[in-house]
Amino acid sequence: MVTIDIEVRSMSQISEMDMTYSMDCYFRQSWVDERLAFSDLDEAFTLSVAVLEKLWKPDTFIYNGKQSYVHLLTTPNKFFRLYQNGKILYSSRLTINANCPMNLQDFPMDIQHCPLKLGSFAYTTRDVIYQWNQDRQVVIASDLMLSQFDLIAAPSGRENTTRRSGEYSTLMASFYLQRHMGNFLIQVYGPCMLLVVLSWVSFWLNREATSDRISLGITTVLTMTFLGLEARTDLPKVSYSTALDLFVWLSYGFIFATIIEFAFVHVFTKVGSGEIYLSDSSSEADSEEEEDGEDDNDDDEIQVHSEPLASCTVIPVSQREEQQMVSADDIAITQGHNGVGTSRVVHVTTPYNSLPRATICSRMSFICRKPSRRQSHAGIVNVSPLPHAKVQSHASLERQPRQRPQQLDIRSRRSRGSSSSSRKQEPQKNKKKKNAKMSPLQQMNSVSHIDEVSRVLFPLSFLCINFIYWYTFLSHSTRLQDNL
């Protein structure tokens, strides 16, 4: 009967490529050899290691071991003690390098089971039987720390192994290692998520920015490919996909879908047989808006507010000054702001100096106002406010020298009504023209419905897939941990 216990001091070199692990431990064996019993001494004593060569000892070996060795510095790290009843305690410091078949389907959220199998190399169960020490079977050092894993459990057991020469007694120990995810969150998961979010920026870019959106999509695809290849460098070439590969492919699929989405947007951007470019249509629209704005400004410059007749004083002016003050030919009253009559210049053949002396006030107002750019080219000068009367040509003034205030009010009201109706009709016509001319521009400059749907659909679907992904693998890892 051979009793064994192990104290694990450290574990290292847990390699997925070689599927091996290494640990440094104190390996203790004890058995009873009645031939060595004595009664001369009351206590056990320690013997030299050289005595072991002359005594019988079990031929224990590790079934799944690779390149295990005993430490020899500064001397062979072995310990030998003999008790009164012939019990022998044999302890040695070993570094065990053993195989660890790994299942990487849940990588990097996996829990690996690394076994350790001990037994006799030549003695069958009829000669030697192995058992674990009931007081201490597999002891883990309190200061044990691993860089990539946590040692969460180390159960042990025994079984018999049948080989060609017979049945052998064996001991089993299992080391359950849970992987740390911090390194993979920083190097793989985080960059993949950021690249997916970065690819969504194209949904907010202009649909005519073809080169920008395509370059952004290709850059994110290439970066995603580099991350996927980099994540597989430390993994064996297994025939199945891991959880990390699945997430990389999901991220790659979302980034690739953004490029396909832009292809659909680009198809609907085209009008007719060719593509309408924004620069041509916008320049035409801007020129039309400038012309409409100039027409509106000309109308506003021509219309001038009138003032009451009582505020005007008659000042004698010479004939030469009258000719300099007036460069227009006739004056007519139109409706201005808030229904107030204003003056407008019209063309007649009678000279201005033949007008009655009663309009000296209106003639003096020419000096105070400057001609607009468009009127100065046409030879027309703005007219200052006039009384509520319509100034006509010299011939008409001779026929009708003076009018009553009531007649003037009626005419001003008629002129107001006609001008207001024409003013209402002009904006409607301009709006129809602008809508007809701007419809292609609005169609090209508007946001695509596909982009609007993608701005909501892509983030929601990515969040849902992430929830399913993390819930599935984390819950599976938790179930395995509970079953230990």
Side-chain angles (χ1 to χ4, degrees), residues 197-310:
V197 175
L198 181 62
S199 65
W200 297 341
V201 176
S202 61
F203 300 151
W204 278 266
L205 294 179
N206 192 358
R207 60 161 69 179
E208 289 82 15
T210 306
S211 60
D212 297 337
R213 297 184 69 165
I214 290 296
S215 61
L216 179 60
I218 293 176
T219 303
T220 51
V221 166
L222 293 177
T223 309
M224 193 69 237
T225 305
F226 172 76
L227 282 177
L229 295 176
E230 186 68 19
R232 294 282 300 181
T233 54
D234 297 334
L235 293 179
K237 295 179 175 60
V238 294
S239 59
Y240 51 86
S241 61
T242 64
L244 184 63
D245 295 334
L246 180 60
F247 188 84
V248 171
W249 277 106
L250 288 174
S251 303
Y252 190 90
F254 271 93
I255 294 174
F256 187 76
T258 57
I259 303 178
I260 302 301
E261 185 270 346
F262 175 66
F264 285 98
V265 172
H266 190 68
V267 168
F268 290 101
T269 301
K270 295 181 180 180
V271 178
S273 59
E275 184 179 357
I276 298 177
Y277 292 95
L278 182 62
S279 59
D280 299 338
S281 57
S282 61
S283 60
E284 294 177 359
D286 293 340
S287 62
E288 292 173 358
E289 289 179 357
E290 290 178 358
E291 291 178 359
D292 295 338
E294 289 180 358
D295 296 339
D296 296 338
N297 294 332
D298 295 340
D299 294 339
D300 294 338
E301 290 179 357
I302 293 174
Q303 297 178 1
V304 184
H305 291 286
S306 64
E307 295 180 356
L309 183 62

Side-chain angles (χ1 to χ4, degrees), residues 108-175:
M109 293 167 280
D110 54 339
I111 296 178
Q112 298 301 333
H113 167 220
C114 295
L116 182 66
K117 189 174 182 180
L118 306 173
S120 176
F121 182 78
Y123 299 106
T124 62
T125 55
R126 293 176 298 179
D127 301 324
V128 176
I129 297 177
Y130 286 89
Q131 67 178 7
W132 288 106
N133 188 354
Q134 298 300 325
D135 298 332
R136 40 185 297 165
Q137 299 179 3
V138 178
V139 180
I140 307 299
S142 58
D143 58 347
L144 177 63
M145 293 185 64
L146 301 177
S147 59
Q148 298 182 13
F149 294 88
D150 283 333
L151 183 58
I152 58 177
S156 58
R158 55 172 298 182
E159 65 180 6
N160 293 332
T161 303
T162 303
R163 293 189 291 180
R164 181 181 300 177
S165 56
E167 189 175 4
Y168 294 84
S169 177
T170 58
L171 299 179
M172 297 289 298
S174 300
F175 301 97

Side-chain angles (χ1 to χ4, degrees), residues 189-446:
Y189 285 101
C192 288
M193 292 180 183
L194 291 178
L195 284 174
V196 173
V197 175
L198 181 62
S199 65
W200 297 341
V201 176
S202 61
F203 300 151
W204 278 266
L205 294 179
N206 192 358
R207 60 161 69 179
E208 289 82 15
T210 306
S211 60
D212 297 337
R213 297 184 69 165
I214 290 296
S215 61
L216 179 60
I218 293 176
T219 303
T220 51
V221 166
L222 293 177
T223 309
M224 193 69 237
T225 305
F226 172 76
L227 282 177
L229 295 176
E230 186 68 19
R232 294 282 300 181
T233 54
D234 297 334
L235 293 179
K237 295 179 175 60
V238 294
S239 59
Y240 51 86
S241 61
T242 64
L244 184 63
D245 295 334
L246 180 60
F247 188 84
V248 171
W249 277 106
L250 288 174
S251 303
Y252 190 90
F254 271 93
I255 294 174
F256 187 76
T258 57
I259 303 178
I260 302 301
E261 185 270 346
F262 175 66
F264 285 98
V265 172
H266 190 68
V267 168
F268 290 101
T269 301
K270 295 181 180 180
V271 178
S273 59
E275 184 179 357
I276 298 177
Y277 292 95
L278 182 62
S279 59
D280 299 338
S281 57
S282 61
S283 60
E284 294 177 359
D286 293 340
S287 62
E288 292 173 358
E289 289 179 357
E290 290 178 358
E291 291 178 359
D292 295 338
E294 289 180 358
D295 296 339
D296 296 338
N297 294 332
D298 295 340
D299 294 339
D300 294 338
E301 290 179 357
I302 293 174
Q303 297 178 1
V304 184
H305 291 286
S306 64
E307 295 180 356
L309 183 62
S311 62
C312 180
T313 57
V314 178
I315 302 174
V317 182
S318 62
Q319 183 178 0
R320 184 176 179 181
E321 293 176 350
E322 292 176 359
Q323 293 177 358
Q324 293 178 355
M325 286 188 293
V326 180
S327 61
D329 296 333
D330 198 1
I331 304 170
I333 293 177
T334 59
Q335 184 178 2
H337 298 286
N338 299 325
V340 181
T342 57
S343 60
R344 176 174 292 183
V345 179
V346 296
H347 180 75
V348 293
T349 57
T350 55
Y352 184 78
N353 55 9
S354 62
L355 291 173
R357 186 66 64 176
T359 61
I360 294 300
C361 178
S362 62
R363 284 180 287 169
M364 287 295 295
S365 63
F366 282 111
I367 302 174
C368 300
R369 296 184 60 85
K370 294 182 180 180
S372 63
R373 183 183 63 182
R374 192 163 182 177
Q375 289 176 348
S376 60
H377 290 293
I380 302 174
V381 181
N382 286 338
V383 183
S384 62
L386 293 176
H388 291 282
K390 182 178 180 182
V391 181
Q392 299 177 354
S393 63
H394 180 67
S396 61
L397 288 174
E398 289 179 355
R399 291 193 302 269
Q400 192 175 359
R402 185 174 294 180
Q403 295 178 355
R404 294 181 181 180
Q406 295 179 354
Q407 295 177 355
L408 293 175
D409 292 339
I410 293 171
R411 292 186 179 182
S412 63
R413 291 175 183 174
R414 290 178 180 177
S415 62
R416 291 173 191 172
S418 61
S419 61
S420 62
S421 61
S422 61
R423 194 180 300 109
K424 290 180 181 179
Q425 294 176 358
E426 289 177 358
Q428 294 178 356
K429 293 180 181 179
N430 293 332
K431 287 181 180 178
K432 291 180 180 179
K433 291 180 180 179
K434 289 181 180 180
N435 292 332
K437 295 178 180 179
M438 292 295 288
S439 58
L441 177 60
Q442 292 175 355
Q443 183 181 2
M444 295 297 296
N445 199 23
S446 62

